Amino acid sequence: MKKETLQKIIDTLNILVIPVSAVCGTWGFDISVYVAGAVAAINGVLEYLKLFTKE
């Protein structure tokens, strides 16, 4: 996997977390926070993987 592909995935997750979290927020505040936290954790893992991928 290339760094460019990982960066596109990270950018997409960063854009999609806002509307998904807002929709989940209609059911309750807790689920909205869990969704945002899960996406942040996934982004952290992807950034870490990006360090070890070749160009």
Side-chain angles (χ1 to χ4, degrees):
M1 190 174 278
K2 294 182 179 181
K3 286 186 179 187
E4 296 171 6
T5 306
L6 285 173
Q7 187 59 45
K8 287 182 182 180
I9 293 170
I10 291 168
D11 292 341
T12 303
L13 286 174
N14 286 337
I15 292 170
L16 290 178
V17 71
I18 296 167
V20 171
S21 183
V23 169
C24 291
T26 60
W27 290 306
F29 179 73
D30 290 345
I31 188 73
S32 177
V33 173
Y34 294 148
V35 167
V39 171
I42 292 169
N43 277 345
V45 170
L46 291 175
E47 286 285 346
Y48 184 74
L49 288 175
K50 199 165 67 168
L51 292 173
F52 297 104
T53 57
K54 294 181 180 179
E55 290 289 326

